[in-house]
Amino acid sequence: MKAIRRFTVRPVLPDALKPLSDLARNLRWSWQAETRDLFRSVDPERWAAAGGDPVRLLGSVPSARLAELAGDRRFLRRLSAAADDLADYTSGDRWYQSQERSAELPAAIAYFSPEFGITAALPQYSGGLGILAGDHLKAASDLGVPLIGVGLLYRHGYFRQSLSRDGWQQEHYPVLDPHELALAPLTEEDGTPCHVTLALPGGRRLTARIWLARVGRIPLLLLDSDVEENDLGERDVTDRLYGGGSEHRLLQEMLLGIGGVRAVRTYCRLTGHPAPEVFHTNEGHAGFLGLERIAELSDAGLDFDAALEAVRAGTVFTTHTPVPAGIDRFDRELVARHFGPDAELPGIDVHRILHLGMESYAGGEPNLFNMAVMGLRLGQRANGVSLLHGHVSREMFSGLWPGFDAEEVPITSVTNGVHAPTWVAPEVVRLGARQIGAQRAEDAMTVGGSDRWDSVADIADQDIWELRRVLREKLVLEVRTRLRASWRQRGAGTAELGWIDDVLDPDVLTIGFARRVPSYKRLTLMLRDRDRLMELLLHPERPVQIVVAGKAHPADDGGKRLIQELVRFADDPRVRHRIVFLPDYGMAMAQKLYPGCDVWLNNPLRPLEACGTSGMKAALNGCLNLSVLDGWWDEWYQPDFGWAIPTADGAATDDDRRDELEAAALYDLLEHRVAPRFYERGRGGLPDRWIQMVRQTLTHLGPKVLAGRMVREYVERLYAPAARAHRALTPEAARELAAWKARVRGAWSRVTVEHVETSSAADRADRAELGASLGVRVRVGLGELAPDDVEVQVVSGRVDAEDRIADASVVPLKPAGGGEEGRWVYEGPLSLDRAGPFGYTVRILPSHPLLASPTELGLLAVPPEGAGEGAGVLMR
């Protein structure tokens, strides 16, 4: 007989052990080894059975064992030390509080994401976006940055993956009980649970409970629609991560954005936490948060335009996708139905809402509401997640700023990082602590600093190589355990599985490849020439072994076919001891996989990998990267510590030919450079050159790939400027800025560049000397605008064969007279500071002290044909 409800009956902790509950309920244990060791010592077998989850562990320990521990003075001393350490960690000053002029930094930042990968014990993530969000919160906690995380609580998480006998992906959706997770309901002062409510079409309501997770110093608010107040359809809104159709996804994103802001307001009211001055939306899923904040300001007396300016000032938007297909887009009628007088945010004109997300630019789909477009229109500051991705994003969204070169689109980049204490193996940490001390090793992983990482140069070659061998051996044992469990799920009997005892070899070069399985990541590129791959795997002197893992989206049959193709190859008795596919890739597996691999493989279609942080996690464990120059690897690759797979990206190369060429390049690298380097031995019997590459990986990449470095960049380059802009946009300033923008937009059609001339005869001869200076004189028409409303610029630089200016320098010109009938003269010098083909042009942009960028309005005036003496200057 099946139970209609399942819950855990927990033993009552003796008073002496009460701190165990606090330690279990703060997710800092997931990256704090001493606390995990403490819980392991409670009952090692039950700790393993609980999957390393303290909450589950405490729900299973017999009362007799708890009574025994309550009388164990040594255990109580360890418990007291762990509790004191957590108290110091959560209350003491850290990097953020020690900054000069720290009072000018944001009092609080609200960080919204559709998924958070904190720990396998809280499975609320699908892949890189969620893991990045989790690492962002952990690094912010380590640095003392006052973040509030906001997300949804999915009762089925993403999904658990297994394989059928023939290698087809199977999905399972175990139900998660919030009471069995490291969560607590946010409650009012009288103890009643806190809720947020959204209005839906037809008079329906969507209600969600607010759950609170503690991520070190950071509160994480998760909204859960599975509550009695909802009808069945509304209860299922937060059923699965990235599940359901368009309306289901729209409701999830409305709840995340609008409900999330309301949850933040509730949390701050109840706890006294400072209200956020900056709102950061991690990808476009939470973009509706800006609408809720506009509604708040409208209720306080601002009109829509002024409220929009105030909201934009304090909003940061991060885009993670390099392709339009990766962005959530909704039919405009679906969006319109969920807003307005009969639904949510009735005080805002639906047409104003639609305008924020419509693709109203050349090449856009006029009937689609684009969440990333709304994110960019609602956020004054935006960024991609690597230098290359920033460039790709500026190209992709350039239609929002017509007339500007893509390089001037106001999207910067902050390259992602990873949280070292989460991803670095304990063995690596211990070796570092032995070398530089435990505190300096911890600082190296959290705050960063190349001086701490430089000490890796002093670690003996023998110690590094022994460490690599230990980690490889642990991975081999882990793979065999997981592979045996997978085959049992596939229906194999014990008698069939003896071969698993010989799978992988702790002395063989081990390559890892693990990620989500969309087509662009090319899971099966390694299978392009199966005979050649087989030769590499079975080489008599320099064999290679490969560990592969990954999940395809449940609706992606193409991705499932790729997995099946790989699994069927790995099932071949000739190679199954050298290549394995491990199902159910997640954080717990990843933490074992990264350290044990010698090489981390990544072969996406360039430039479709926005960042690709798995290679960063591997690098922090001394694993070398073998990757296409995409994402972060394009930015930081050096031949001293890895290999770049050449790309066949010529315009005349079709997809099939491209894959063939790039697979051949991959095989060549493995056969002729990677494997020989691993197996060659120096005089001392060690692979000296390989060890040197490991050392270079740690010293050069270590400080760069840290989430602490990433979060510091967000604070300095985005959060702090956004907070200053937020404070400057008082209600009166917001009204003034909105009125100024309306006036400029209305008058811009009459802004013109009428004539351009220079004072140098050499210019007219199309020749000039390097180091010379030209005087530029421009006559402009400003119509109803004044010089204070605009900036007139001369833009110069090298020119290509089509006279396009590259690597441009911008110099503002100064008013030099005029004013009759709106005509003005501007003048200024142009320095000829570069040899070779050189050109210049003149343009007019709006200018206001409260603009974050002169390109913000997307308005531009340039000379018409024949307005000047010529655009090119040739120099020698």
Side-chain angles (χ1 to χ4, degrees):
M1 185 176 295
K2 190 173 182 180
I4 62 171
R5 186 183 173 202
R6 177 185 181 277
F7 54 91
T8 299
V9 179
R10 303 186 184 282
V12 178
L13 291 175
D15 288 344
L17 300 184
K18 289 293 174 61
L20 280 174
S21 180
D22 294 333
L23 290 170
R25 294 284 173 179
N26 191 310
L27 293 168
R28 187 193 178 217
W29 61 258
S30 67
W31 73 91
Q32 220 269 338
E34 290 81 358
T35 305
R36 292 197 303 275
D37 290 342
L38 177 72
F39 281 113
R40 183 181 293 108
S41 69
V42 169
D43 190 318
E45 290 185 5
R46 283 187 167 84
W47 173 256
D53 179 353
V55 175
R56 288 180 59 195
L57 169 73
L58 294 180
S60 65
V61 179
S63 297
R65 174 58 177 162
L66 295 175
E68 180 185 349
L69 290 172
D72 185 335
R73 287 185 294 178
R74 183 171 180 273
F75 182 84
L76 294 178
R77 284 196 299 270
R78 294 176 63 197
L79 175 58
S80 178
D84 289 345
D85 180 72
L86 178 62
D88 290 344
Y89 175 87
T90 54
S91 60
D93 287 351
R94 303 188 74 81
W95 171 84
Y96 193 83
Q97 289 73 32
S98 68
Q99 296 305 291
E100 290 187 19
R101 304 171 69 182
S102 60
E104 297 181 13
L105 296 175
I109 304 108
Y111 180 88
F112 287 65
S113 179
E115 49 177 306
F116 285 92
I118 309 294
T119 167
L122 187 63
Q124 300 292 305
Y125 61 91
S126 71
L129 179 70
I131 301 300
L132 180 279
D135 283 6
H136 195 106
L137 261 58
K138 294 175 193 176
S141 176
D142 291 340
L143 296 172
V145 180
L147 241 62
I148 302 173
V150 185
L152 301 180
L153 179 66
Y154 305 96
R155 285 301 179 99
H156 296 279
Y158 189 43
F159 69 90
R160 301 296 302 273
Q161 177 198 45
S162 62
L163 300 173
S164 69
R165 184 71 191 221
D166 66 351
W168 189 256
Q169 173 176 293
Q170 313 266 291
E171 295 96 26
H172 314 275
Y173 294 90
V175 177
L176 301 173
D177 182 351
H179 297 284
E180 294 184 342
L181 303 174
L183 301 172
L186 187 66
T187 59
E188 297 287 350
E189 294 179 357
D190 62 2
T192 58
C194 295
H195 294 84
V196 296
T197 301
L198 273 64
L200 301 181
R204 296 176 295 132
R205 313 287 286 178
L206 171 60
T207 299
R209 183 183 300 182
I210 307 169
W211 294 91
L212 173 64
R214 292 285 177 188
V215 186
R217 300 167 66 106
I218 306 298
L220 171 59
L221 308 177
L222 299 174
L223 303 182
D224 170 21
S225 70
D226 189 11
V227 296
E228 294 179 358
E229 292 85 347
N230 287 330
D231 292 335
L232 183 60
E234 284 73 53
R235 291 186 77 147
D236 285 344
V237 166
T238 58
D239 58 350
R240 298 176 182 178
L241 177 58
Y242 303 140
S246 289
E247 184 168 19
H248 187 267
R249 291 286 292 274
L250 177 64
L251 290 175
Q252 284 189 341
E253 297 185 7
M254 290 177 63
L255 181 59
L256 174 60
I258 298 170
V261 172
R262 294 172 185 174
V264 168
R265 302 304 188 204
T266 301
Y267 176 79
C268 293
R269 171 176 59 82
L270 291 171
T271 65
H273 193 289
E277 296 181 283
V278 176
F279 285 76
H280 182 179
T281 173
N282 188 39
E283 201 38 275
H285 307 282
F288 290 123
L289 69 86
L291 297 181
E292 171 66 9
R293 295 175 59 217
I294 288 172
E296 290 177 332
L297 293 172
S298 298
D299 290 343
L302 286 184
D303 62 29
F304 181 92
D305 291 322
L308 173 61
E309 296 306 326
V311 165
R312 291 187 74 253
T315 301
V316 174
F317 171 67
T318 297
T319 175
H320 289 261
T321 180
V323 289
I327 298 168
D328 276 347
R329 301 154 89 197
F330 300 104
D331 183 86
R332 70 186 308 274
E333 297 302 326
L334 176 65
V335 176
R337 191 164 67 248
H338 282 80
F339 289 95
D342 298 322
E344 190 50 70
L345 304 183
I348 301 179
D349 185 343
V350 173
H351 294 93
R352 300 301 302 265
I353 293 174
L354 291 175
H355 173 74
L356 290 170
M358 300 309 294
E359 298 180 2
S360 52
Y361 48 81
E365 293 282 347
N367 288 317
L368 290 181
F369 187 93
N370 184 310
M371 295 297 289
V373 167
M374 179 173 65
L376 290 166
R377 285 176 173 153
L378 284 173
Q380 194 175 58
R381 287 163 181 81
N383 69 285
V385 291
S386 69
L387 277 177
L388 179 60
H389 181 240
H391 171 76
V392 170
S393 299
R394 288 188 287 276
E395 292 276 359
M396 185 165 66
F397 294 112
S398 60
L400 290 168
W401 290 270
F404 289 94
D405 292 340
E407 291 77 14
E408 293 188 287
V409 168
I411 300 175
T412 185
S413 62
V414 175
T415 302
N416 284 343
V418 298
H419 186 245
T422 296
W423 300 109
V424 176
E427 294 85 355
V428 179
V429 176
R430 285 195 290 268
L431 180 59
R434 195 166 75 225
Q435 184 68 28
I436 62 173
Q439 186 58 55
R440 291 193 73 216
E442 180 181 341
D443 290 345
M445 293 193 298
T446 54
V447 181
S450 59
D451 58 323
R452 300 178 179 94
W453 289 89
D454 287 344
S455 61
V456 173
D458 300 325
I459 300 176
D461 286 3
Q462 183 69 40
D463 290 343
I464 290 177
W465 190 239
E466 286 180 0
L467 172 67
R468 295 298 317 147
R469 212 273 180 187
V470 165
L471 295 173
R472 201 182 307 115
E473 185 172 38
K474 289 189 68 172
L475 175 60
V476 169
L477 296 175
E478 179 77 11
V479 166
R480 291 174 183 172
T481 299
R482 288 180 176 272
L483 192 62
R484 182 171 283 104
S486 174
W487 271 100
R488 293 306 298 264
Q489 285 182 317
R490 295 173 71 179
T494 304
E496 300 177 68
L497 302 180
W499 60 273
I500 290 179
D501 292 335
D502 296 318
V503 165
L504 304 189
D505 183 328
D507 293 310
V508 167
L509 172 62
T510 304
I511 298 172
F513 182 101
R515 49 193 35 87
R516 291 183 303 109
V517 190
S519 59
Y520 78 87
K521 291 181 183 283
R522 297 192 293 183
L523 171 72
T524 56
L525 185 69
M526 66 180 76
L527 302 183
R528 187 74 187 189
D529 184 339
R530 300 186 182 209
D531 290 339
R532 192 162 181 196
L533 176 60
M534 198 170 290
E535 290 172 1
L536 289 168
L537 296 171
L538 303 177
H539 195 284
E541 298 172 357
R542 298 188 299 273
V544 168
Q545 58 194 16
I546 306 176
V547 183
V548 184
K551 289 180 175 180
H553 187 280
D556 181 11
D557 282 351
K560 294 179 186 180
R561 281 191 288 273
L562 294 178
I563 290 175
Q564 186 178 50
E565 184 181 354
L566 194 287
V567 170
R568 286 177 171 175
F569 179 83
D571 285 351
D572 188 328
R574 293 173 295 175
V575 296
R576 63 188 182 185
H577 64 298
R578 287 281 186 260
I579 181 169
V580 298
F581 180 88
L582 300 179
D584 209 27
Y585 180 50
M587 289 187 72
M589 182 193 297
Q591 287 170 321
K592 302 290 180 62
L593 185 54
Y594 299 131
C597 292
D598 300 295
V599 172
W600 195 256
L601 174 62
N602 190 29
N603 47 232
L605 288 173
R606 187 180 191 273
L608 301 186
E609 186 79 273
C611 185
T613 56
S614 62
M616 295 179 171
K617 297 160 193 162
L620 284 173
N621 287 282
C623 178
L624 309 183
N625 275 268
L626 168 62
S627 175
V628 167
L629 289 176
D630 201 2
W632 75 276
W633 193 236
D634 178 76
E635 189 172 337
W636 289 330
Y637 158 74
Q638 290 183 26
D640 292 343
F641 48 70
W643 298 272
I645 302 171
T647 51
D649 50 6
T653 305
D654 61 39
D655 292 351
D656 191 62
R657 177 63 174 160
R658 176 205 59 218
D659 286 355
E660 181 181 333
L661 292 171
E662 294 186 15
L666 171 60
Y667 299 137
D668 285 343
L669 281 169
L670 287 171
E671 181 178 359
H672 300 299
R673 296 179 61 187
V674 180
R677 179 70 58 93
F678 180 85
Y679 286 105
E680 72 179 8
R681 294 295 183 267
R683 291 182 180 179
L686 298 175
D688 301 328
R689 293 205 296 164
W690 188 275
I691 293 170
Q692 183 59 19
M693 292 183 75
V694 171
R695 203 187 304 276
Q696 294 289 334
T697 290
L698 292 170
T699 55
H700 288 283
L701 290 180
K704 293 180 179 179
V705 302
L706 297 179
R709 183 272 313 154
M710 172 190 71
V711 171
R712 291 199 314 272
E713 284 195 40
Y714 273 107
V715 169
E716 294 161 358
R717 296 175 48 202
L718 294 170
Y719 294 162
R724 289 194 293 269
H726 163 79
R727 292 166 187 167
L729 259 290
T730 62
E732 188 55 40
R735 293 187 185 96
E736 188 276 329
L737 179 60
W740 177 84
K741 283 188 174 183
R743 180 169 61 84
V744 168
R745 288 190 178 105
W748 198 256
S749 62
R750 294 179 291 282
V751 174
T752 58
V753 178
E754 297 182 349
H755 185 72
V756 183
E757 62 184 33
T758 59
S759 60
S760 169
D763 180 32
R764 289 190 293 274
D766 288 337
R767 299 186 67 82
E769 299 289 343
L770 179 65
S773 180
L774 303 179
V776 180
R777 182 180 176 88
V778 184
R779 188 172 70 247
V780 303
L782 300 184
E784 300 168 9
L785 300 182
D788 286 347
D789 295 320
V790 302
E791 184 171 282
V792 180
Q793 301 173 340
V794 57
V795 182
S796 64
R798 291 189 179 89
V799 292
D800 60 18
E802 284 76 39
D803 285 342
R804 292 191 62 83
I805 298 172
D807 192 23
S809 295
V810 176
V811 176
L813 303 177
K814 294 182 179 181
E820 296 80 12
E821 298 182 351
R823 288 182 168 82
W824 298 83
V825 173
Y826 282 74
E827 293 180 345
L830 170 61
S831 176
L832 307 182
D833 57 358
R834 278 166 278 192
F838 187 92
Y840 68 87
T841 188
V842 171
R843 67 184 185 181
I844 309 173
L845 302 174
S847 177
H848 191 284
L850 294 176
L851 294 182
S853 164
T855 63
E856 184 175 311
L857 273 71
L859 300 176
L860 176 73
V862 296
E865 292 285 337
E869 302 170 331
V873 179
L874 181 66
M875 299 187 300
R876 61 182 182 273

